[in-house]
């Protein structure tokens, strides 16, 4: 019998060992689950601080303090072009809209774009026009003067297809280059002739030599010619007129390029074209701006020339025969 028990014990030995390890595992797992975390592993809590008490504004005390200690008047805080004074002086007027001080002859406030119409007083109020504008003349000429402009004759291109020279002109620095055929007019100036001269120069590397230089003559009818060397900037005083469109909004073009959009008060030069945006879609070409006779000559679609003159209380218009 002893031998039989021994065989049985040997055959079940591995099962007994497995049961012992299983029991040990269950005991150890139950201890880990039931145990509490130590103080070293505890996650610290975020301290709760009370919200700050809002600052109370004593409105009554603030108002009383302002009344008791008012700010001293300071002319530099005034919206004027001259901070040393707050009232217009001799030969000046003040914009009724923003207070900006300008010259008495100014037609437009540079600060807020308020416009004084021709013949209006310093508050912008229009007096009654003595004579109504002729039908079809939608502008008033408020000012004609000469404005300095930098002219750059950049160069020229020989056009073999049209057998001509195309000039590269900048009228005012920073403007887009205009291509104008030699012999045509540009802003009322004739561009002709184009001369070439041989000039002797002293080159530090090559010594004395000759080089070709080109000169363009620009001239307004009845005025002294202005000779411009290629690549050199010269300054001219160009006649300019300020127009106040009593009717409609207008786009302004020069040689097919738009220079201003949706305007009712604008400056024009010779060879500008004015196109009405709505309504009758009228189109006027500026033929001449004459600062000596203080007049602007327009040409309508029908070819009639319309002349507007500067007048303190009214714009005078005449119609000349079609050329």
């Amino acid at each position: 019998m002893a031998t039989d028990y021994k065989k049985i014990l040997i055959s079940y030995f591995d099962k007994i060992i497995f049961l012992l390890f299983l029991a040990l595992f269950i005991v150890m797992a139950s201890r880990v689950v039931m145990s509490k975390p130590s103080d070293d592993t505890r996650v610290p809590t975020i301290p709760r601080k009370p919200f700050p008490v809002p600052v109370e504004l004593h409105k009554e005390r603030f108002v009383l303090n302002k009344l008791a200690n008012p700010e001293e008047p300071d002319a530099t805080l005034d919206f004027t072009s001259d901070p040393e004074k707050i009232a217009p002086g001799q030969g000046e007027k003040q914009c009724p809209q923003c207070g900006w001080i300008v010259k008495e002859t100014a037609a437009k406030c540079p600060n807020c774009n308020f416009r004084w119409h021709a013949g209006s007083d310093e508050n912008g109020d229009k007096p009654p026009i003595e004579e109504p504008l002729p039908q079809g003349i939608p502008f008033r000429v408020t000012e004609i003067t000469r404005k300095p402009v930098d002219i750059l004759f950049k160069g020229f291109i020989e056009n073999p297809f049209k057998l001509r020279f195309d000039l590269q002109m900048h009228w005012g620095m920073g403007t887009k280059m205009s291509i104008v055929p030699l012999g045509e007019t540009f802003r009322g100036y004739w561009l002709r002739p184009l001369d070439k001269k041989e000039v002797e120069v002293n080159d530090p590397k090559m010594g004395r030599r000759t080089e070709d230089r080109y000169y363009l003559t620009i001239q307004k009818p009845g005025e002294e010619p202005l000779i411009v060397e290629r690549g050199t900037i010269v300054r001219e005083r160009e006649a300019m007129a300020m127009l106040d469109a009593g009717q409609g909004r207008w786009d302004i073009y020069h040689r097919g390029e738009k220079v201003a959009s949706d305007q009712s008060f604008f400056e024009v030069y010779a060879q500008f074209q004015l196109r009405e945006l709505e309504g009758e879609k009228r189109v006027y070409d500026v033929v001449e701006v004459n600062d000596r006779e203080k007049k602007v000559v327009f040409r309508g679609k029908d070819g009639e020339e319309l002349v507007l003159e500067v007048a303190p209380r009214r714009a005078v218009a005449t119609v000349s025969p079609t050329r």
Side-chain angles (χ1 to χ4, degrees), residues 46-66:
I46 300 176
R48 296 183 179 180
K49 295 182 180 181
F51 289 102
V53 179
V55 179
E56 183 179 357
L57 178 63
H58 298 283
K59 296 181 180 180
E60 293 80 8
R61 187 182 303 173
F62 177 80
V63 174
L64 291 175
N65 182 56
K66 278 291 184 181

Side-chain angles (χ1 to χ4, degrees), residues 3-13:
T3 303
D4 295 336
Y5 283 115
K6 185 177 180 180
K7 291 181 178 180
I8 294 173
L9 181 63
I10 292 172
S11 62
Y12 285 98
F13 179 76

